[in-house]
Amino acid sequence: LLERVALISPPDFAPDLRKLALSYDDKIYANYEEYIVKLNQENTWDSLAQINYGDYTRVTSLVIDKYNDAYLSVDYRYYPNYYYNKTIMTNDFISFQTLFNTWENLANNDSGYVFFGSSKMYRTTDRGNTIEEINNGITNLNAYTIKVLDFNEVYVGDYNKLYLTTNNGDLWHTIPGQIGRASCRERVCSGV
């Protein structure tokens, strides 16, 4: 399915698609800077939204849950040097709900959980209505990435440690060994 994307030209207004997200019904979503697009059956891109907060906006993370709700982490700027971020969700790409006034790494799994993490870990299973803090076993988190590598294996890599949960975040285990930014990239970010 993703090979199909490589052969398709990006839309004119978003020449360099960055993040890809696959929905539960096998639809492909992508973003470029502030634009969110979806691949249609004619193998062209439909524009879904242009996220605009301030002078400059950039979507840095995108996942689609089992209800086809989109979760996005957004960086934005007002004036030359005032930078902000937030994590938002939408089910229609018209109205957006702020979940966090911080930037969060995002991941989701086949059980319908959406995971959020930066200085703490959170999850939702009910379309963002309830967001639970899930830090049992995690200390001093500075999350670099969250990856779901198997149906029930969720990894969180920070700059010093690698954490694993096999029960959707109820309990996290530290993976032993020397973990640094390079190791995190090799073990988690590459999907190995």
Side-chain angles (χ1 to χ4, degrees):
L1 187 58
L2 292 179
E3 292 88 22
R4 184 176 139 203
V5 176
L7 303 174
I8 298 167
S9 298
D12 292 339
F13 59 88
D16 185 16
L17 296 177
R18 307 252 170 129
K19 305 288 182 196
L20 292 176
L22 185 63
S23 69
Y24 283 76
D25 58 353
D26 292 331
K27 303 287 189 263
I28 298 173
Y29 294 77
N31 84 284
Y32 170 73
E33 300 298 343
E34 75 271 24
Y35 296 100
I36 308 296
V37 295
K38 182 171 104 176
L39 191 63
N40 62 34
Q41 291 183 342
E42 290 79 36
N43 288 334
T44 60
W45 297 96
D46 293 330
S47 176
L48 298 176
Q50 180 181 7
I51 314 299
N52 189 356
Y53 298 105
D55 296 342
Y56 169 78
T57 303
R58 178 175 59 117
V59 175
T60 57
S61 194
L62 168 67
V63 299
I64 310 295
D65 73 5
K66 70 179 183 178
Y67 306 105
N68 284 324
D69 294 329
Y71 297 80
L72 308 98
S73 287
V74 179
D75 291 336
Y76 58 102
R77 179 183 70 200
Y78 285 107
Y79 307 112
N81 295 313
Y82 295 98
Y83 291 89
Y84 303 93
N85 19 60
K86 62 173 58 181
T87 302
I88 59 178
M89 73 162 291
T90 182
N91 60 10
D92 59 8
F93 290 96
I94 296 169
S95 60
F96 295 87
Q97 171 189 351
T98 299
L99 300 176
F100 298 94
N101 283 315
T102 57
W103 178 87
E104 301 289 331
N105 289 292
L106 302 171
N108 61 324
N109 67 11
D110 290 338
S111 298
Y113 288 82
V114 177
F115 298 93
F116 311 87
S118 58
S119 63
K120 293 184 177 186
M121 285 300 300
Y122 302 92
R123 73 178 173 209
T124 186
T125 59
D126 61 359
R127 309 180 83 176
N129 293 314
T130 305
I131 297 177
E132 301 173 81
E133 187 175 315
I134 51 167
N135 290 291
N136 187 7
I138 293 178
T139 57
N140 301 321
L141 184 65
N142 184 7
Y144 180 77
T145 188
I146 305 170
K147 294 291 181 187
V148 177
L149 299 183
D150 209 347
F151 176 76
N152 63 351
E153 291 182 355
V154 181
Y155 292 84
V156 175
D158 79 4
Y159 294 99
N160 299 306
K161 296 178 186 163
L162 186 61
Y163 296 99
L164 164 67
T165 183
T166 57
N167 56 12
N168 294 314
D170 289 335
L171 179 62
W172 296 88
H173 302 280
T174 303
I175 296 184
Q178 194 68 9
I179 304 295
R181 189 174 183 151
S183 296
C184 169
R185 285 189 179 144
E186 291 167 13
R187 292 180 69 183
V188 175
C189 301
S190 67
V192 175

